[in-house]
Amino acid sequence: MEKAKWIWHPGSFELYHSMLLHNRRTTTRTYEGGERKSVYYYPMWRIDSPQKNAILEKTAEISEPEELEFYANTKTANMVVDGKAYPVGSCVRLEAGKHTVCLQGFKADSFPAFYVKGRVFKTDRTYIVGGSDDKRGRHAGYSEYYTEPCDNPEIFKFLYKKMYPVSKKEINGGVLFDFGKEVFGKITLNNLDGRERFVALGESMEEALDVLECQLGLNTSGTSFTSEPVAFRYIFVPELKGASAELDFEYLPLENKGEFKCEDELVNKLWDVCAYTMLLNSREGFFDGIKRDRWVWSGDAYQTNLVNYYLSNDSDIVRRTIRILRGKDPITKHINTISDYTFLWINSIWDYYFYSGDSDFINDIYPEIIDMLGFIEGRLDADGMYERKPDDWVFIDWSTFDEAGPICAENMLLARAYESISNCAKVVGDKKMEKYAYERHARIVDDINQLYWDKEKGAFIDSYKSGKRNVTRHANIFAILFDYTDKQRQESIIKNVIFNDEVTKITTPYFEFYELDAMCKIGNYKYMTDMLNSYWGEMLRLGATTIWEEFDPTKKGIEHYEMYGGKYEKSLCHAWGASPIYLLGKYALGVMPTGAGYKTYEVAPKDMGLGKISGTVPTKNGNVFVSFDGKTAEVVSEIDGGTLILGDKKYPIVKGERLIATI
Amino acid sequence: MEKAKWIWHPGSFELYHSMLLHNRRTTTRTYEGGERKSVYYYPMWRIDSPQKNAILEKTAEISEPEELEFYANTKTANMVVDGKAYPVGSCVRLEAGKHTVCLQGFKADSFPAFYVKGRVFKTDRTYIVGGSDDKRGRHAGYSEYYTEPCDNPEIFKFLYKKMYPVSKKEINGGVLFDFGKEVFGKITLNNLDGRERFVALGESMEEALDVLECQLGLNTSGTSFTSEPVAFRYIFVPELKGASAELDFEYLPLENKGEFKCEDELVNKLWDVCAYTMLLNSREGFFDGIKRDRWVWSGDAYQTNLVNYYLSNDSDIVRRTIRILRGKDPITKHINTISDYTFLWINSIWDYYFYSGDSDFINDIYPEIIDMLGFIEGRLDADGMYERKPDDWVFIDWSTFDEAGPICAENMLLARAYESISNCAKVVGDKKMEKYAYERHARIVDDINQLYWDKEKGAFIDSYKSGKRNVTRHANIFAILFDYTDKQRQESIIKNVIFNDEVTKITTPYFEFYELDAMCKIGNYKYMTDMLNSYWGEMLRLGATTIWEEFDPTKKGIEHYEMYGGKYEKSLCHAWGASPIYLLGKYALGVMPTGAGYKTYEVAPKDMGLGKISGTVPTKNGNVFVSFDGKTAEVVSEIDGGTLILGDKKYPIVKGERLIATI
């Protein structure tokens, strides 16, 4: 029998921890006389907090008596059994028959959470929102990691381990500690001299030594000082040489179930660096970067979710991320204020279902999707296309677009969101919405093909209104990736956009993700292998221990660290750079679901010029191991439903049996 | 110069304290073997919590330099001066010129609040909501009672005084303490025997001694026990004789600026009992009753506000009450789930303006009114009338109505709400809304007169749909009170409804308020004097120390304490019973504003058969003292703008000068 879980009003756990994490960030400021300080950094979007009151209830018929033990994280809570209120700590015996158990509670400083030991009436998702709630009938929120009476959902379950600097160096009149790689956690400095002092931190050595410009620092005092958790590789303590430093490394204990090895050591190292980048950014939800912003951004998370399916395949963190991004009603702004991030949020939900098969969650989140659709449609133009509204931010990528009227790439994401909604509607059995959203998607795709295709350029242009006929890679990549145009046009795009050096190159690993996904999709694996080497490989050659937010190979030295007008403002540990894990798993090992939750899946390993490759892809119900030397493939799978595709041959994969096939 | 005030996101202070107060209530339950316990009582409507993040900002040009001292109730806060963030505790000098000061902060467990000492940039209402807030531009929230840096808006400023029982009696094997009247606060019991024991409380002696049925009790343990604040008159400690009891009486230090004296000692006593009933129910906001529900109900508060204008005339508590009731967006339910309470909430805002002249508050709350109107109109029928929707509660009064289709009384309140909105729109200069709401109100009044007037019965009937032609007092009273029908019909109502014993009498002081207000309005003062004696007077003769929630003179003994199916569930200290203060001030002393905020006002004292009367009515800018012996009136006023009306003569009242006039 499954264990009871702590339950709460859906979203409360996520909103609570999101609220805390979004308010934990600091930055540095320079004051009169050059004094440096670390100060609180205010979040840039609306931050929601959880409900302080909650009612969750369940009605069921039991054939055997059962004992209920009632726990809550607050004294202002009752377990109401068949109308009678029992206080926290009560044990109640239910006789066989039909009963209603209603858990009601209030917690002023966080959110109420309940735990009932029992058989049928043990707490889990089957409790539903009751009382006077605006959205009665929704399932209770829960986490797979809070299943014991002694658990406290107000405390996020990180793990900790002690770490020490790998080197200590006297420099510039102070002392520089190097932890050898990017790390995160509470720093303890000992043997200080008691003075108030600004201690500089850096993802790079240059940043830490640049006391006046570094992004993060500590306001230390006393002879021993422990910081709040913070990300860095280097610590510089100015004007003092005797100090020592140690770290309580804080991390989420996600197992790297996925694996990848090949004969190109750079790619092997890259995979490890990507995995470590993921580890640092996998927390309450998926973060963008661990130094900055340390926040949950939807576009970033869209990709990180996908990487996760080939690395740890943890469902809980994906669900948490989706809930954090959704926030609370009323919806008044796009997610992170970015319209494309709202569309990607919807797409991420469908992806999650496709990789996990978790229809419970689709059912749980579906009302939130529908409300989000209402918000989106309230901001479309008369043709049902999206054009930027005041207060909205159209991001797409750090690149320049022709923003006159609706932008092509943005509306491809809108179409994709409708497609995802249609898919989700099918899962929950909402036939009307399934049809409606599918038709909306098809209509937008048609319109895009008519309005934005430039025959002469053989490409989609950003704007059909300005007459500038500006071509960027972005819409053209989406057209391939989402199959939103015919084969002929796709080929034209490859030639006239992707392999056209006059079209501005992608500089963010974020959009590299989409570009490579699209190129692999059409079978151009060499494009990816080259990019792994030239783009990601170059970061490693420059000493990266984690993947950077942005990378322009033409820059030099500390130019690489500059962004947003700040000398070191770039994040050097940005999760959106971890896509090689996803790309290598999906295309090199060739493992991907063809039915939701790997009910059916294919294994189609590719020769990408990496020599012999081998690796593991984790699925909900077991791992799929693959090796391939360009000729012979070996598959060992812990799940049913697979097909090995080698050249034009197909081989059924039998769970638990080694399958070897040769081209 | 006015002092700086603590400021916060508008509504935060009110929502925070409302959340706490609505979750503080307890009740009693009986468990196996007859064990009695006090348990948490879950609130029956959605409880909102304050925003945890807030940005408030102000831009102004200063001609002289000024020093700003920045305080906040949280370390995660900045004062951002011209784009530069300063931490809590900073002192910043502004040079002459234009500046922007932005206060930003986060507090997880309550709400962020800011205080800046300064001249132009001192914190007050002139700071406005900024950042990514959904309703930018609104004025900061504040309270007149939090003006010092050492104040903490998270702590509600009650006063305390020690009180002791007036008698102690051994009875039923235990001991009964009587505090002489209804009181509220923390009880301390000493000389207990250490056993866990249920101690019974009662508003009446019968309730306290009825351990198995009393509404409130304490789960005591140890030899000394201090309770949470609770309302009671009697304490019964069973099975123990040596115990002693004391009370930390908790109250809001509102001054009774209003006064009333006459030659009828019963009425004088009644006035004092009403004032004490008000004191007990004047807290974070105006409560319904101090034992039960101890919550803020809009219909109750509508009346209590009016009483307040003749008693303490405290504006802060009215504004707090209005904000508590409004809650947060999205609006998904009527206020307290009751449609008429939503309408009355709007009317209470106009009343507040009419008595206070506080146009600042009307401007502050106006966007909230408009959103509320949107909610209301989303639930009207095609004719623009209100008919009960699922999940709505149509209250009107504890009485029985013919509820087929739209109910007459309910739609009179709807019309009145439109009228109030039109008035408020005029104050803020929203001409379009002023006209629209006025026309809507007029249309509904016309429709009501056409649809609900029953010629034969000479009265408004509840329903025009059922054909039952049921007459209740309620709509007919509103028709007079709001002037929603012509003189001829008003006279018909007096005869066929008010003085018709076949039409069910009012049993709640709540609706007695409206009935007497209407009767006084048409000059039938005797009706009120009789009712003071027969209805309120009878409660006093039965020993009431505070006014009861409901009173039926035909009941006997403890039958009076029964309500809602509970033997002692009736509240014996219910604020809606305090209307005599309002009625005597407004009609006997005859003081009422004729222009908003007493800019102009009249004093029209009446001979109500109470002998010589005298009293004081407090206004924002000073008191108005009146005495009248049926012939000669004397007025001394601290404010300009008054007119004494005596018979058909009018005398201008000069501020500070004694005016004596004789019929």
Side-chain angles (χ1 to χ4, degrees), chain A residues 405-477:
Chain A
I407 301 179
C408 186
E410 191 74 9
N411 283 282
M412 285 191 175
L413 288 174
L414 173 64
R416 189 67 164 178
Y418 272 116
E419 207 183 340
S420 295
I421 290 173
S422 176
N423 289 336
C424 290
K426 190 173 182 181
V427 173
V428 306
D430 182 351
K431 283 191 191 308
K432 204 173 142 193
M433 178 55 73
E434 182 190 346
K435 182 164 180 285
Y436 166 77
Y438 184 82
E439 286 170 358
R440 287 294 316 135
H441 129 267
R443 169 72 194 273
I444 296 169
V445 171
D446 281 354
D447 288 351
I448 285 173
N449 273 281
Q450 289 204 17
L451 293 167
Y452 293 91
W453 185 257
D454 188 299
K455 262 192 187 162
E456 203 183 321
K457 293 191 180 251
F460 288 102
I461 54 177
D462 287 343
S463 162
Y464 69 88
K465 285 200 168 167
S466 70
K468 291 185 191 161
R469 300 168 59 204
N470 187 55
V471 174
T472 52
R473 288 174 182 258
H474 304 78
N476 291 287
I477 287 168

Side-chain angles (χ1 to χ4, degrees), chain A residues 199-312:
Chain A
V199 165
L201 304 175
E203 287 187 305
S204 64
M205 185 176 70
E206 293 86 344
E207 184 183 8
L209 291 175
D210 197 344
V211 176
L212 290 175
E213 300 275 354
C214 62
Q215 279 289 120
L216 296 180
L218 311 174
N219 305 325
T220 69
S221 58
T223 54
S224 178
F225 175 87
T226 298
S227 74
E228 291 301 305
V230 68
F232 68 99
R233 174 174 167 177
Y234 297 92
I235 306 172
F236 178 61
V237 182
E239 299 169 32
L240 188 74
K241 286 169 188 168
S244 66
E246 59 184 62
L247 173 74
D248 249 335
F249 185 66
E250 179 179 295
Y251 66 106
L252 198 66
L254 291 182
E255 192 191 343
N256 287 350
K257 298 176 194 159
E259 283 171 354
F260 183 82
K261 286 284 175 228
C262 68
E263 290 177 37
D264 183 335
E265 277 312 314
L266 182 78
V267 172
N268 289 340
K269 187 181 169 192
L270 174 61
W271 197 95
D272 290 342
V273 167
C274 288
Y276 186 63
T277 302
M278 282 289 289
L279 175 72
L280 288 182
N281 286 296
S282 303
R283 296 180 55 82
E284 292 90 337
F286 283 122
F287 287 10
D288 61 334
I290 191 63
K291 174 175 85 168
R292 199 226 84 237
D293 297 316
R294 252 166 74 187
W295 289 340
V296 181
W297 289 83
S298 180
D300 306 53
Y302 173 78
Q303 298 189 341
T304 323
N305 290 342
L306 288 169
V307 174
N308 167 63
Y309 304 135
Y310 288 90
L311 183 62
S312 303

Side-chain angles (χ1 to χ4, degrees), chain B residues 42 476 533 623:
Chain B
Y42 195 84
N476 292 287
N533 200 295
N623 291 337

Side-chain angles (χ1 to χ4, degrees), chain A residues 255-404:
Chain A
E255 192 191 343
N256 287 350
K257 298 176 194 159
E259 283 171 354
F260 183 82
K261 286 284 175 228
C262 68
E263 290 177 37
D264 183 335
E265 277 312 314
L266 182 78
V267 172
N268 289 340
K269 187 181 169 192
L270 174 61
W271 197 95
D272 290 342
V273 167
C274 288
Y276 186 63
T277 302
M278 282 289 289
L279 175 72
L280 288 182
N281 286 296
S282 303
R283 296 180 55 82
E284 292 90 337
F286 283 122
F287 287 10
D288 61 334
I290 191 63
K291 174 175 85 168
R292 199 226 84 237
D293 297 316
R294 252 166 74 187
W295 289 340
V296 181
W297 289 83
S298 180
D300 306 53
Y302 173 78
Q303 298 189 341
T304 323
N305 290 342
L306 288 169
V307 174
N308 167 63
Y309 304 135
Y310 288 90
L311 183 62
S312 303
N313 197 27
D314 185 69
S315 289
D316 215 79
I317 192 172
V318 178
R319 293 193 299 255
R320 293 197 307 265
T321 301
I322 289 168
R323 290 235 190 242
I324 286 173
L325 289 167
R326 173 57 172 77
K328 258 204 315 201
D329 294 333
I331 305 172
T332 56
K333 293 266 170 30
H334 277 293
I335 292 179
N336 310 129
T337 76
I338 302 176
S339 47
D340 27 317
Y341 277 25
T342 299
F343 308 150
L344 287 168
W345 176 79
I346 293 170
N347 294 335
S348 76
I349 294 170
W350 173 248
D351 285 346
Y352 170 68
Y353 176 70
F354 198 65
Y355 274 93
S356 70
D358 179 0
S359 58
D360 280 354
F361 184 70
I362 302 304
N363 275 283
D364 291 355
I365 204 78
Y366 188 72
E368 317 280 340
I369 302 175
I370 295 307
D371 284 352
M372 189 60 84
L373 178 62
F375 173 75
I376 291 170
E377 293 191 332
R379 297 168 86 80
L380 299 183
D381 68 17
D383 304 322
M385 303 277 273
Y386 174 76
E387 181 178 346
R388 198 182 78 78
K389 293 271 170 307
D391 282 349
D392 289 1
W393 174 9
V394 171
F395 173 65
I396 304 175
D397 191 15
W398 291 122
S399 196
T400 307
F401 302 93
D402 176 359
E403 298 193 34

